[in-house]
Amino acid sequence: TINMKVLIALCCLVVVYAQEPKPCESPKQWEGRFFRFDRAKAFYEGAKISYDETNRRAREIEEVSLANDREYYDVLYLHNIGKEYRLNLKTRKCNVTSLTRPFRPYGVPPNAQFDGSATIGAAGVPGESLVVENWSLTDGEDKFFGVVSSPDCVPIDYAFYSKESSLITTTFFDINVGITDPNVFIPPRECSML
């Protein structure tokens, strides 16, 4: 009968919808390293990062390369109080500024769209592969693309595009969950005089 066919079709639709992955939740506090690129501006940055999403703060020890110039910084982003501390590691000069850009968590936005999963490495060989999930989100003219490990949702690649900044890609590696030294979020002493 028609009613039975409609019921079966609805059941199939529910099963298919239930299988669509929901955005996962990344670790809230972690330490690791990253490479960040903005090809439009010939900008490269390598850094060690301590990341605390819970308190909206991050510390980066950066090597920044812009065209042929190379600089080294210790940068503390305290979004929870709206301040950035930037210590030039060559000159030991500190600059304290107000943070006006929003805190953007390194993870999958709750309203992101699942774009698929893949296996990196040798699939089927124990210990030689990693399952990843691809996510994206368009918010007005801003676009987010992210790759996270599955099932732990550890960030691997993070790309963000906006009119103001063009396309900036970040690749994370050597991530360890947790913060080994909570004092990492205290401003450098050179900055405490300001």
Side-chain angles (χ1 to χ4, degrees):
T1 70
I2 289 266
N3 287 342
M4 185 58 104
K5 289 180 182 177
V6 170
L7 181 60
I8 291 171
L10 283 174
C11 286
C12 290
L13 183 62
V14 167
V15 168
V16 168
Y17 180 74
Q19 292 176 348
E20 179 76 15
K22 304 288 183 249
C24 57
E25 190 169 303
S26 294
K28 300 294 184 199
Q29 297 178 328
W30 48 267
E31 296 175 320
R33 297 183 178 280
F34 69 78
F35 294 124
R36 183 174 292 144
F37 300 95
D38 182 342
R39 285 177 176 70
K41 296 179 181 171
F43 171 84
Y44 158 84
E45 174 183 14
K48 179 181 176 200
I49 182 172
S50 298
Y51 173 81
D52 179 2
E53 180 178 328
T54 304
N55 296 298
R56 299 181 326 132
R57 57 191 183 172
R59 181 118 188 211
E60 299 175 1
I61 308 299
E62 305 172 340
E63 176 183 330
V64 177
S65 191
L66 184 59
N68 292 326
D69 188 31
R70 186 166 291 188
E71 293 291 338
Y72 301 88
Y73 296 99
D74 178 352
V75 185
L76 178 60
Y77 300 100
L78 297 177
H79 287 269
N80 54 344
I81 63 169
K83 288 197 178 218
E84 174 185 324
Y85 298 86
R86 180 173 296 270
L87 176 65
N88 184 312
L89 294 173
K90 286 182 183 176
T91 65
R92 306 306 294 177
K93 194 171 173 190
C94 182
N95 190 18
V96 181
T97 58
S98 295
L99 274 172
T100 56
R101 65 178 169 81
F103 179 80
R104 288 195 181 93
Y106 288 127
V108 180
N111 52 343
Q113 172 186 319
F114 179 71
D115 293 329
S117 63
T119 300
I120 297 175
V125 178
E128 295 295 322
S129 63
L130 174 67
V131 176
V132 298
E133 293 181 346
N134 299 290
W135 296 87
S136 64
L137 175 68
T138 300
D139 184 14
E141 294 189 20
D142 294 345
K143 295 181 183 356
F144 157 81
F145 308 95
V147 178
V148 295
S149 67
S150 179
D152 297 320
C153 204
V154 174
I156 297 169
D157 278 318
Y158 186 91
F160 183 76
Y161 172 82
S162 71
K163 278 177 127 177
E164 295 82 33
S165 65
S166 71
L167 177 65
I168 297 173
T169 59
T170 306
T171 301
F172 298 98
F173 57 98
D174 293 343
I175 290 182
N176 292 297
V177 175
I179 302 295
T180 55
D181 178 10
N183 292 328
V184 74
F185 298 110
I186 295 173
R189 64 180 162 78
E190 292 90 341
C191 299
S192 62
M193 312 293 187
L194 303 174

